[in-house]
Protein backbone atom coordinates (compact mmCIF):
# COMPACT_ATOMS: atom_id res chain seq x y z
CA UNK A 1 0.00 0.00 0.00
CA UNK A 2 1.24 3.51 -0.72
CA UNK A 3 1.97 5.79 2.17
CA UNK A 4 -0.15 8.87 1.55
CA UNK A 5 2.33 11.14 3.25
CA UNK A 6 5.26 10.32 1.02
CA UNK A 7 6.17 13.09 -1.41
CA UNK A 8 6.49 11.77 -4.96
CA UNK A 9 7.56 15.05 -6.54
CA UNK A 10 8.77 18.16 -4.83
CA UNK A 11 9.88 21.30 -6.60
CA UNK A 12 11.53 24.00 -4.54
CA UNK A 13 12.05 27.54 -5.76
CA UNK A 14 12.58 26.61 -9.41
CA UNK A 15 13.85 29.40 -11.58
CA UNK A 16 14.41 29.35 -15.31
CA UNK A 17 15.16 32.09 -17.81
CA UNK A 18 15.41 32.01 -21.56
CA UNK A 19 17.80 34.86 -22.30
CA UNK A 20 16.66 37.79 -20.22
CA UNK A 21 13.10 36.45 -19.95
CA UNK A 22 12.41 34.75 -16.65
CA UNK A 23 9.82 32.05 -17.35
CA UNK A 24 9.81 30.36 -13.92
CA UNK A 25 10.11 32.76 -11.03
CA UNK A 26 10.59 30.52 -8.04
CA UNK A 27 8.08 27.71 -8.37
CA UNK A 28 7.48 25.40 -5.44
CA UNK A 29 5.10 22.50 -5.74
CA UNK A 30 4.54 19.20 -4.03
CA UNK A 31 2.74 16.05 -5.11
CA UNK A 32 2.29 13.21 -2.65
CA UNK A 33 2.14 9.62 -3.78
CA UNK A 34 -1.21 9.03 -5.39
CA UNK A 35 -1.88 12.73 -5.92
CA UNK A 36 -3.30 13.96 -9.18
CA UNK A 37 -2.21 17.56 -9.54
CA UNK A 38 -3.87 19.60 -12.27
CA UNK A 39 -1.77 22.51 -13.46
CA UNK A 40 -3.76 25.32 -14.99
CA UNK A 41 -2.76 28.64 -16.45
CA UNK A 42 -2.87 30.72 -19.58
CA UNK A 43 -0.63 30.10 -22.51
CA UNK A 44 2.91 31.28 -21.79
CA UNK A 45 2.60 31.04 -18.01
CA UNK A 46 5.40 28.45 -17.81
CA UNK A 47 3.45 25.20 -17.43
CA UNK A 48 5.38 23.22 -20.06
CA UNK A 49 8.72 24.60 -18.94
CA UNK A 50 7.98 23.54 -15.38
CA UNK A 51 6.98 20.03 -16.43
CA UNK A 52 10.02 19.76 -18.72
CA UNK A 53 12.28 20.70 -15.81
CA UNK A 54 11.02 17.72 -13.81
CA UNK A 55 12.56 15.25 -16.25
CA UNK A 56 15.33 17.62 -17.22
CA UNK A 57 14.28 18.28 -20.77
CA UNK A 58 15.01 21.79 -19.51
CA UNK A 59 17.56 22.48 -16.81
CA UNK A 60 16.45 25.00 -14.22
CA UNK A 61 18.86 27.84 -13.42
CA UNK A 62 18.32 27.27 -9.73
CA UNK A 63 16.09 25.45 -7.32
CA UNK A 64 15.63 21.83 -6.42
CA UNK A 65 13.81 18.90 -7.99
CA UNK A 66 13.04 15.76 -6.01
CA UNK A 67 11.39 12.72 -7.47
CA UNK A 68 10.68 9.81 -5.13
CA UNK A 69 12.88 11.31 -2.39
CA UNK A 70 15.85 11.55 -4.71
CA UNK A 71 17.15 15.01 -5.50
CA UNK A 72 18.48 15.67 -8.98
CA UNK A 73 22.06 16.77 -8.60
CA UNK A 74 22.92 19.88 -10.56
CA UNK A 75 26.23 21.52 -11.19
CA UNK A 76 27.43 24.81 -12.61
CA UNK A 77 29.62 24.77 -15.68
CA UNK A 78 30.72 27.94 -17.43
CA UNK A 79 27.87 29.85 -15.87
CA UNK A 80 25.24 27.30 -16.88
CA UNK A 81 23.45 24.78 -14.74
CA UNK A 82 23.43 21.18 -15.89
CA UNK A 83 22.80 17.72 -14.41
CA UNK A 84 25.84 16.60 -12.45
CA UNK A 85 25.42 12.86 -12.78
CA UNK A 86 24.43 11.25 -16.09
CA UNK A 87 23.61 7.90 -14.49
CA UNK A 88 21.34 9.52 -11.97
CA UNK A 89 19.68 11.53 -14.74
CA UNK A 90 19.03 8.38 -16.73
CA UNK A 91 17.64 6.56 -13.71
CA UNK A 92 15.36 9.41 -12.75
CA UNK A 93 14.12 9.93 -16.29
CA UNK A 94 13.17 6.28 -16.47
CA UNK A 95 11.04 6.75 -13.38
CA UNK A 96 9.08 9.58 -14.98
CA UNK A 97 6.57 8.87 -17.73
CA UNK A 98 5.87 11.82 -20.00
CA UNK A 99 2.91 12.23 -22.31
CA UNK A 100 2.96 15.17 -24.71
CA UNK A 101 0.28 17.00 -26.61
CA UNK A 102 1.59 15.64 -29.90
CA UNK A 103 1.74 11.91 -28.98
CA UNK A 104 5.40 11.54 -30.03
CA UNK A 105 5.20 7.87 -30.94
CA UNK A 106 7.99 6.51 -33.11
CA UNK A 107 6.41 6.48 -36.55
CA UNK A 108 8.60 3.72 -38.01
CA UNK A 109 7.66 1.25 -35.27
CA UNK A 110 4.43 -0.62 -34.69
CA UNK A 111 2.45 0.19 -31.57
CA UNK A 112 3.76 -2.91 -29.82
CA UNK A 113 7.35 -2.05 -30.79
CA UNK A 114 6.81 1.45 -29.42
CA UNK A 115 5.85 -0.04 -26.08
CA UNK A 116 8.67 -2.57 -25.74
CA UNK A 117 11.55 -0.46 -27.09
CA UNK A 118 12.63 1.25 -23.87
CA UNK A 119 11.85 -1.65 -21.52
CA UNK A 120 14.02 -3.99 -23.62
CA UNK A 121 16.85 -1.69 -24.65
CA UNK A 122 17.08 0.86 -21.88
CA UNK A 123 15.80 -1.17 -18.94
CA UNK A 124 17.24 -4.50 -20.17
CA UNK A 125 14.17 -6.49 -19.29
CA UNK A 126 13.48 -9.85 -20.97
CA UNK A 127 11.71 -9.43 -24.28
CA UNK A 128 8.98 -11.99 -23.58
CA UNK A 129 8.03 -10.23 -20.33
CA UNK A 130 7.97 -6.87 -22.07
CA UNK A 131 5.72 -8.16 -24.85
CA UNK A 132 3.36 -9.79 -22.40
CA UNK A 133 3.11 -6.66 -20.32
CA UNK A 134 2.75 -4.40 -23.37
CA UNK A 135 -0.20 -6.47 -24.53
CA UNK A 136 -1.87 -6.09 -21.15
CA UNK A 137 -1.29 -2.34 -21.25
CA UNK A 138 -2.73 -2.05 -24.75
CA UNK A 139 -5.77 -3.93 -23.55
CA UNK A 140 -6.05 -1.63 -20.59
CA UNK A 141 -6.11 1.48 -22.80
CA UNK A 142 -8.48 -0.24 -25.21
CA UNK A 143 -6.34 -0.69 -28.34
CA UNK A 144 -5.15 -4.28 -28.10
CA UNK A 145 -6.19 -4.90 -31.70
CA UNK A 146 -3.83 -2.15 -32.91
CA UNK A 147 -0.67 -3.82 -31.63
CA UNK A 148 0.79 -4.48 -35.09
CA UNK A 149 -0.32 -1.21 -36.68
CA UNK A 150 1.87 1.83 -37.26
CA UNK A 151 0.98 5.06 -35.46
CA UNK A 152 -0.15 6.77 -38.67
CA UNK A 153 -2.95 4.22 -38.98
CA UNK A 154 -4.43 5.14 -35.62
CA UNK A 155 -6.73 8.02 -34.75
CA UNK A 156 -5.33 10.78 -32.56
CA UNK A 157 -7.15 9.42 -29.54
CA UNK A 158 -5.77 5.93 -30.15
CA UNK A 159 -2.25 7.31 -30.62
CA UNK A 160 -2.46 9.21 -27.38
CA UNK A 161 -3.70 6.11 -25.55
CA UNK A 162 -0.76 4.22 -27.06
CA UNK A 163 1.57 6.97 -25.83
CA UNK A 164 0.15 6.60 -22.33
CA UNK A 165 0.63 2.82 -22.49
CA UNK A 166 4.19 3.33 -23.71
CA UNK A 167 4.95 5.57 -20.73
CA UNK A 168 3.40 3.02 -18.34
CA UNK A 169 5.51 0.22 -19.83
CA UNK A 170 8.58 1.73 -18.15
CA UNK A 171 7.01 1.40 -14.69
CA UNK A 172 7.21 5.10 -13.90
CA UNK A 173 6.81 6.41 -10.38
CA UNK A 174 5.23 9.56 -11.71
CA UNK A 175 3.31 10.41 -14.87
CA UNK A 176 3.55 13.87 -16.40
CA UNK A 177 0.96 14.96 -18.96
CA UNK A 178 1.37 18.15 -20.99
CA UNK A 179 -2.01 19.05 -22.48
CA UNK A 180 -2.63 15.45 -23.55
CA UNK A 181 -5.97 16.20 -25.19
CA UNK A 182 -5.31 19.61 -26.72
CA UNK A 183 -4.38 18.28 -30.17
CA UNK A 184 -7.38 15.99 -30.41
CA UNK A 185 -10.64 16.40 -32.26
CA UNK A 186 -13.32 17.06 -29.63
CA UNK A 187 -14.98 13.67 -30.11
CA UNK A 188 -11.71 11.90 -29.22
CA UNK A 189 -10.98 13.78 -26.01
CA UNK A 190 -13.27 11.64 -23.84
CA UNK A 191 -11.54 8.33 -24.58
CA UNK A 192 -8.18 9.73 -23.45
CA UNK A 193 -9.63 11.38 -20.34
CA UNK A 194 -11.29 8.09 -19.41
CA UNK A 195 -7.91 6.33 -19.49
CA UNK A 196 -6.37 9.09 -17.38
CA UNK A 197 -9.20 8.92 -14.90
CA UNK A 198 -8.69 5.16 -14.56
CA UNK A 199 -5.00 5.74 -13.82
CA UNK A 200 -5.92 8.30 -11.18
CA UNK A 201 -8.31 5.83 -9.59
CA UNK A 202 -5.50 3.26 -9.45
CA UNK A 203 -3.60 5.68 -7.25
CA UNK A 204 -0.96 6.75 -9.73
CA UNK A 205 0.86 9.97 -9.10
CA UNK A 206 0.10 12.33 -11.95
CA UNK A 207 0.92 15.93 -12.82
CA UNK A 208 -1.40 17.07 -15.55
CA UNK A 209 -1.24 20.32 -17.46
CA UNK A 210 -4.72 20.65 -18.89
CA UNK A 211 -7.44 22.94 -20.10
CA UNK A 212 -10.08 20.34 -19.28
CA UNK A 213 -11.67 22.02 -16.31
CA UNK A 214 -14.08 19.17 -15.61
CA UNK A 215 -11.09 16.80 -15.30
CA UNK A 216 -9.31 19.24 -12.99
CA UNK A 217 -12.40 19.61 -10.85
CA UNK A 218 -13.55 15.99 -10.73
CA UNK A 219 -10.37 13.91 -10.89
CA UNK A 220 -7.55 15.87 -9.28
CA UNK A 221 -6.62 15.97 -5.64
CA UNK A 222 -5.01 19.36 -6.06
CA UNK A 223 -5.25 22.24 -8.48
CA UNK A 224 -2.34 24.60 -9.08
CA UNK A 225 -2.77 27.84 -10.98
CA UNK A 226 0.35 29.25 -12.63
CA UNK A 227 0.45 32.85 -13.66
CA UNK A 228 3.51 34.50 -15.23
CA UNK A 229 5.90 31.91 -13.90
CA UNK A 230 4.57 31.81 -10.36
CA UNK A 231 2.16 29.64 -8.43
CA UNK A 232 -0.55 32.20 -7.89
CA UNK A 233 -3.07 29.91 -6.22
CA UNK A 234 -3.39 26.28 -5.21
CA UNK A 235 -5.79 24.15 -3.28
CA UNK A 236 -8.30 21.36 -3.42
CA UNK A 237 -10.53 21.38 -6.50
CA UNK A 238 -13.46 22.19 -4.26
CA UNK A 239 -11.77 25.24 -2.79
CA UNK A 240 -10.35 26.42 -6.09
CA UNK A 241 -13.56 26.06 -8.06
CA UNK A 242 -15.95 27.41 -5.49
CA UNK A 243 -14.87 30.39 -3.47
CA UNK A 244 -11.13 29.98 -3.60
CA UNK A 245 -8.29 30.65 -5.97
CA UNK A 246 -7.22 34.18 -6.69
CA UNK A 247 -8.52 37.08 -8.72
CA UNK A 248 -6.27 35.91 -11.55
CA UNK A 249 -7.65 32.38 -11.34
CA UNK A 250 -11.26 33.53 -11.41
CA UNK A 251 -10.44 35.72 -14.37
CA UNK A 252 -8.80 32.75 -16.08
CA UNK A 253 -11.92 30.65 -15.47
CA UNK A 254 -14.26 33.28 -16.79
CA UNK A 255 -12.08 33.93 -19.82
CA UNK A 256 -13.36 31.08 -21.92
CA UNK A 257 -11.51 28.27 -20.15
CA UNK A 258 -14.37 27.86 -17.73
CA UNK A 259 -16.07 24.65 -16.73
CA UNK A 260 -17.30 22.60 -19.61
P1 LIG B 1 2.91 27.30 -21.25
O1 LIG B 1 3.19 25.84 -21.37
O2 LIG B 1 2.31 27.69 -19.95
O3 LIG B 1 2.13 27.83 -22.41
P2 LIG B 1 5.75 27.58 -21.71
O4 LIG B 1 6.43 26.97 -20.54
O5 LIG B 1 5.70 26.78 -22.96
O6 LIG B 1 4.30 28.08 -21.29
O7 LIG B 1 6.46 28.93 -22.08
C1 LIG B 1 6.59 30.00 -21.18
C2 LIG B 1 7.33 31.13 -21.88
O8 LIG B 1 8.66 30.71 -22.15
C3 LIG B 1 6.72 31.51 -23.23
O9 LIG B 1 6.80 32.92 -23.33
C4 LIG B 1 7.61 30.86 -24.22
O10 LIG B 1 7.66 31.58 -25.41
C5 LIG B 1 8.96 30.85 -23.51
N1 LIG B 1 9.80 29.71 -23.91
C6 LIG B 1 9.50 28.41 -23.71
N2 LIG B 1 10.48 27.61 -24.16
C7 LIG B 1 11.43 28.43 -24.67
C8 LIG B 1 12.71 28.24 -25.28
N3 LIG B 1 13.22 27.01 -25.44
N4 LIG B 1 13.40 29.33 -25.66
C9 LIG B 1 12.90 30.57 -25.47
N5 LIG B 1 11.72 30.83 -24.90
C10 LIG B 1 10.99 29.79 -24.50
MG1 LIG C 1 2.61 24.44 -22.76
Amino acid sequence: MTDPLKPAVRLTELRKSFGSFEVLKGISLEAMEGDVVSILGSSGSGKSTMLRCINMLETPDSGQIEVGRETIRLTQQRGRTRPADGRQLQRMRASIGMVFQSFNLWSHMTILENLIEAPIHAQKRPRADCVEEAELLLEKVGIAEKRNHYPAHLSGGQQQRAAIARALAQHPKVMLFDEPTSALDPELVGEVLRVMRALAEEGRTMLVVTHEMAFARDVSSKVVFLNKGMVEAEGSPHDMFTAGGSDGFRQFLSGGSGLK
Side-chain angles (χ1 to χ4, degrees):
M1 221 174 88
T2 52
D3 169 1
L5 293 175
K6 224 166 130 188
V9 178
R10 187 188 276 149
L11 310 179
T12 312
E13 280 293 314
L14 275 197
R15 288 180 180 272
K16 173 75 178 173
S17 296
F18 293 112
S20 60
F21 179 47
E22 193 172 39
V23 176
L24 303 182
K25 298 173 181 158
I27 297 236
S28 298
L29 187 154
E30 194 168 64
M32 299 298 176
E33 275 190 1
D35 261 350
V36 178
V37 180
S38 287
I39 298 152
L40 311 180
S42 339
S43 175
S45 55
K47 305 180 299 295
S48 294
T49 306
M50 184 193 83
L51 225 53
R52 291 165 61 82
C53 280
I54 299 175
N55 61 0
M56 291 280 147
L57 292 172
E58 302 284 356
T59 313
D61 301 327
S62 65
Q64 191 169 298
I65 299 166
E66 291 169 73
V67 180
R69 290 205 174 148
E70 190 169 359
T71 302
I72 300 180
R73 284 190 290 284
L74 298 171
T75 184
Q76 295 285 330
Q77 200 177 50
R78 284 181 238 109
R80 289 179 66 97
T81 309
R82 59 175 204 80
D85 177 346
R87 301 235 316 258
Q88 185 199 34
L89 179 66
Q90 221 175 13
R91 185 172 66 243
M92 291 188 72
R93 272 195 183 145
S95 70
I96 299 168
M98 179 108 186
V99 176
F100 300 90
Q101 182 176 332
S102 50
F103 326 137
N104 293 28
L105 293 165
W106 293 300
S107 60
H108 63 289
M109 292 183 188
T110 66
I111 297 302
L112 186 77
E113 286 165 354
N114 263 276
L115 264 70
I116 62 178
E117 171 69 20
I120 291 177
H121 294 108
Q123 298 182 317
K124 314 283 183 209
R125 283 161 37 200
R127 182 186 173 88
D129 292 1
C130 296
V131 170
E132 191 180 333
E133 194 183 322
E135 285 174 343
L136 288 174
L137 285 169
L138 289 175
E139 227 165 83
K140 179 174 171 152
V141 303
I143 49 170
E145 78 287 2
K146 303 290 181 191
R147 64 193 292 274
N148 295 322
H149 291 235
Y150 286 89
H153 296 141
L154 273 61
S155 72
Q158 291 168 338
Q159 287 187 53
Q160 193 60 303
R161 286 184 281 146
I164 293 171
R166 183 180 60 175
L168 292 171
Q170 291 198 66
H171 300 170
K173 289 189 190 129
V174 177
M175 290 282 285
L176 308 180
F177 295 85
D178 194 356
E179 300 198 30
T181 59
S182 296
L184 296 175
D185 291 334
E187 71 272 21
L188 304 178
V189 168
E191 63 192 56
V192 173
L193 291 179
R194 269 194 297 282
V195 167
M196 292 171 61
R197 182 190 280 263
L199 297 180
E201 284 166 1
E202 274 176 15
R204 288 196 173 265
T205 311
M206 300 161 60
L207 270 61
V208 186
V209 172
T210 186
H211 293 290
E212 294 293 330
M213 293 303 139
F215 179 90
R217 182 193 55 191
D218 300 338
V219 181
S220 34
S221 43
K222 184 172 175 176
V223 174
V224 172
F225 175 60
L226 284 199
N227 195 7
K228 298 192 175 113
M230 293 193 286
V231 174
E232 187 179 293
E234 65 179 304
S236 71
H238 178 265
D239 288 351
M240 289 288 281
F241 285 109
T242 51
S246 61
D247 288 348
F249 182 58
R250 281 184 291 276
Q251 219 166 28
F252 169 77
L253 286 181
S254 63
S257 303
L259 282 174
K260 297 183 197 174

